[in-house]
Amino acid sequence: MGIRTTPTTPFAGQQPGTSGLRKKVTVFQQPGYLENFVQALFDVVHGVGQPATGLTLVLGGDGRFHNRTAIQTILRMAAARGYARVLVGQNSILSTPAVSAVIRRHSASGGIVLSASHNPGGPDGDFGIKYNGTNGGPAPETLTQAVYERTQALGSYTLSDAADIDLGTQGVQQMENTRIEVIDSVADHAAVLRSLFDFDAIRALFARGFRLRYDAMWAVGGPSAKAIIEGELGAPAGTVVHAEPLEDFGGLHPDPNPVYADDLVAHLMAADAPDMGAASDGDADRNMILGRGFIVSPSDSLAVLAAHARKVPGYQGGLAGVARSMPTSTAVDRVAKALSLPCYETPTGWKFFGNLLDAGRITLCGEESYGTGSDHVREKDGLWAVLFWLNLVAVTGQSVEQLVRGLWSEHGRCVYSRHDYDGIATERANALMAELRASLPTLGGTTVAGQAIAWADDFAYTDPVDGSVSQRQGVRVVLADSSRVVFRLSGTGTEGATLRVYLERHEPDASRHDVPAQEALAPLVALAEAVARIAHHTGMNAPTVMT
Ligand code: G16
């Protein structure tokens, strides 16, 4: 064994986006591509030339294609860097919330998650890498920007030339002076979940014949969902479907929304539908909740959990506060107001919740992009959300739909939809946003497409804990009745650009709560087209995906 230093030259574009560096697998397969990024990461985290003496690193991924190869490379680099310990998931698997739980429970200095989340996998699919810090949460922008800058100045990387580690069996192995511990992929995370929810009440719910269909989308969430929901909570075998993690997610798009989880939606809309449906994504941090014949919007889900949190053991003392990303609907704001709780509005990206959670300012947070979580870890957590809903159904005796309708009748319904325009040429998408931004100073006070615009801006966020400022986080066009359209470009795609248009309208009138969302939002769609000239810039007359 020995440590080898290899000369290298920078790769363009190793700039992390909303959640780490995501590229095509073929990009990551280029010799030196992953090595350069990890070397830059270690250089920033430890200092150039500085070893990671005495520190513990957590390492795992969502099991997608290239995961196993990349894990061995990173183990060699961690050994060369002098880490005291690396905790790596068995078979190189750790879901994103599991990485967060392991970092926190084992006082690690950080962790590396190999995932492109909900993006498709396989040899022609996507791959990704991100770093989580000591708190278990995604690195802040200051760190990811520094890593990017370091990638552009790199001249070499170092790694051990030791043989591969056997990741199939739990136990301790040695590489250079580093102790490599292959750990159970679900145990730490499961222990955290067990401490939060009333498992007896959920067990009794299943014993009464309650039927759940949990679609793990052939992804990493399957084994833990099976172990907990079927194993510990006594749901019948077959409750968790598509539970075996596959390297290409069965060729599907592991994104739990009504479009990509259409099989689950079909089951919940059928005549003999189960009582509840749920799905998690490629790395098991996202979730979608459905009732029988009823789809719950992620924004409503967050609001329901906030409204009823005290009924769940882990939150019976009440919430310190709540937070949502800016494009997420204001349903949770209304709940927070009624409960006199602080409510924060952050930019898109789970990393922005980290400081608020660490400072104890919030307990629950969530996003329109099917992410919900709490201070139990520092990632969103798919299985956590499903257990939270099961716990609420068990102790309130209300169905999923009744819980959401209760929210609407108390606070009005925040009718909500997101329209995505995928695969736009990057220059065209940039031109659309530039034109929109240029129009901002004159938009407020004008009437466009028959609607009076009260104000418009480009969202900027000052972190209340560390004072850091994030600008240009999305254009908001807001009407007098607080209806709004938000425009931003996705930071998680790997091909061209995706324009996201978020539409929200508050409907206080209960007799109109069943108007289909797209119908209720049609005037806002017209407004979006008029202010942003979407068809002109993109050549598309309809969104690729509507959720
Ligand atoms: C990531 C982030 C989320 C964000 C989502 C969509 O989720 O962690 O905070 O809402 O991407 O981001 P964008 O709109 O920029 O594509 P995940 O599940 O992909 O890690």
Side-chain angles (χ1 to χ4, degrees):
M1 289 197 285
I3 311 280
R4 200 158 30 88
T5 297
T6 305
T8 190
T9 50
F11 288 89
Q14 290 198 319
Q15 173 101 56
T18 310
S19 184
L21 181 69
R22 288 188 193 168
K23 301 282 178 195
K24 290 277 165 215
V25 166
T26 47
V27 173
F28 270 100
Q29 284 172 325
Q30 296 173 88
Y33 191 89
L34 176 68
E35 290 86 340
N36 272 19
F37 188 79
V38 174
Q39 182 74 32
L41 171 66
F42 287 167
D43 283 356
V44 168
V45 171
H46 307 297
V48 176
Q50 299 302 310
T53 313
L55 301 180
T56 298
L57 180 73
V58 177
L59 180 58
D62 63 12
R64 66 178 56 228
F65 183 81
H66 199 55
N67 195 10
R68 284 177 292 152
T69 312
I71 289 268
Q72 296 289 350
T73 302
I74 298 171
L75 285 171
R76 288 196 180 86
M77 294 190 73
R81 198 73 190 203
Y83 273 96
R85 243 180 9 147
V86 180
L87 305 180
V88 56
Q90 188 173 8
N91 296 318
S92 41
I93 301 256
L94 282 174
S95 73
T96 295
V99 170
S100 192
V102 176
I103 293 173
R104 294 169 70 79
R105 283 169 67 87
H106 296 270
S107 304
S109 62
I112 291 178
V113 190
L114 297 177
S115 171
S117 185
H118 53 287
N119 298 16
D124 300 320
D126 292 348
F127 194 73
I129 177 168
K130 71 171 182 171
Y131 183 74
N132 284 21
T134 316
N135 70 347
E141 274 186 333
T142 41
L143 189 133
T144 55
Q145 180 60 25
V147 172
Y148 169 63
E149 284 163 18
R150 180 67 190 146
T151 64
Q152 299 307 295
L154 215 59
S156 65
Y157 56 80
T158 52
L159 72 186
S160 162
D161 57 13
D164 279 1
I165 292 288
D166 169 14
L167 294 172
T169 323
Q170 289 172 38
V172 177
Q173 296 165 64
Q174 195 74 20
M175 186 186 278
E176 308 296 346
N177 294 318
T178 304
R179 180 184 158 93
I180 313 278
E181 293 180 28
V182 181
I183 61 168
D184 184 301
S185 299
V186 303
D188 284 297
H189 183 220
V192 175
L193 296 177
R194 235 174 259 129
S195 72
L196 296 172
F197 300 109
D198 186 344
F199 272 33
D200 287 339
I202 303 174
R203 219 173 272 126
L205 179 73
F206 283 122
R208 291 197 294 272
F210 185 84
R211 286 163 63 217
L212 168 73
R213 183 179 176 91
Y214 187 121
D215 192 333
M217 304 193 87
W218 301 118
V220 72
S224 48
K226 246 191 171 343
I228 292 180
I229 292 175
E230 294 182 11
E232 289 188 44
L233 296 172
T239 295
V240 182
V241 298
H242 307 142
E244 183 195 338
L246 301 179
E247 284 198 329
D248 67 349
F249 309 112
L252 302 175
H253 204 126
D255 196 357
N257 64 41
V259 176
Y260 294 121
D262 54 347
D263 179 68
L264 178 66
V265 173
H267 276 89
L268 269 293
M269 297 299 154
D272 62 342
D275 300 291
M276 177 174 156
S280 49
D281 73 331
D283 58 337
D285 58 355
R286 295 185 176 206
N287 76 91
M288 177 169 70
I289 302 292
L290 300 92
R292 182 183 291 151
F294 189 86
I295 298 175
V296 183
S297 93
S299 301
D300 281 348
S301 176
L302 173 64
V304 168
L305 301 190
H308 296 278
R310 279 178 179 272
K311 300 180 177 114
V312 164
Y315 309 98
Q316 64 188 4
L319 306 176
V322 293
R324 63 166 170 87
S325 65
M326 180 274 283
T328 303
S329 99
T330 53
V332 74
D333 303 41
R334 296 166 201 276
V335 171
K337 193 168 174 214
L339 296 176
S340 302
L341 293 175
C343 179
Y344 298 85
E345 182 178 43
T346 60
T348 293
W350 204 263
K351 60 196 171 203
F352 291 104
F353 295 134
N355 279 346
L356 297 170
L357 291 163
D358 287 349
R361 292 192 184 217
I362 61 168
T363 311
L364 292 193
C365 44
E367 296 185 278
E368 52 68 39
S369 56
Y370 295 84
T372 339
S374 86
D375 60 357
H376 68 293
V377 288
R378 292 293 180 273
E379 288 281 3
K380 52 188 183 270
D381 190 338
L383 186 52
W384 170 89
V386 178
L387 293 173
F388 205 136
W389 272 94
L390 285 169
N391 200 149
L392 288 185
V393 169
V395 299
T396 61
Q398 294 187 47
S399 69
V400 169
E401 178 170 351
Q402 284 171 331
L403 284 164
V404 176
R405 288 197 182 272
L407 173 81
W408 294 350
S409 65
E410 196 169 340
H411 302 284
R413 177 181 180 190
C414 291
V415 186
Y416 190 84
S417 181
R418 189 179 92 192
H419 291 189
D420 291 343
Y421 297 79
D422 289 327
I424 310 170
T426 306
E427 322 77 68
R428 285 178 160 226
N430 288 340
L432 182 152
M433 291 303 293
E435 185 179 285
L436 193 53
R437 289 192 159 107
S439 74
L440 281 177
T442 54
L443 264 188
T446 60
T447 296
V448 179
Q451 293 168 86
I453 297 172
W455 56 272
D457 74 353
D458 195 350
F459 180 60
Y461 177 67
T462 303
D463 186 301
V465 179
D466 68 13
S468 59
V469 177
S470 302
Q471 275 163 342
R472 295 164 63 87
Q473 296 296 318
V475 168
R476 305 188 281 190
V477 178
V478 183
L479 306 183
D481 69 353
S482 80
S483 296
R484 59 181 188 148
V485 183
V486 174
F487 302 85
R488 58 179 285 279
L489 298 183
S490 161
T492 56
T494 60
E495 255 173 344
T498 292
L499 170 68
R500 299 207 197 281
V501 182
Y502 309 85
L503 309 148
E504 177 182 3
R505 185 170 161 268
H506 183 247
E507 178 57 77
D509 178 356
S511 73
R512 296 184 51 80
H513 284 170
D514 285 322
V515 175
Q518 299 306 327
E519 188 183 322
L521 296 170
L524 291 180
V525 174
L527 174 68
E529 174 57 32
V531 297
R533 300 203 304 154
I534 299 170
H536 166 81
H537 285 288
T538 67
M540 299 162 84
N541 289 313
T544 332
V545 173
M546 284 192 257
T547 57

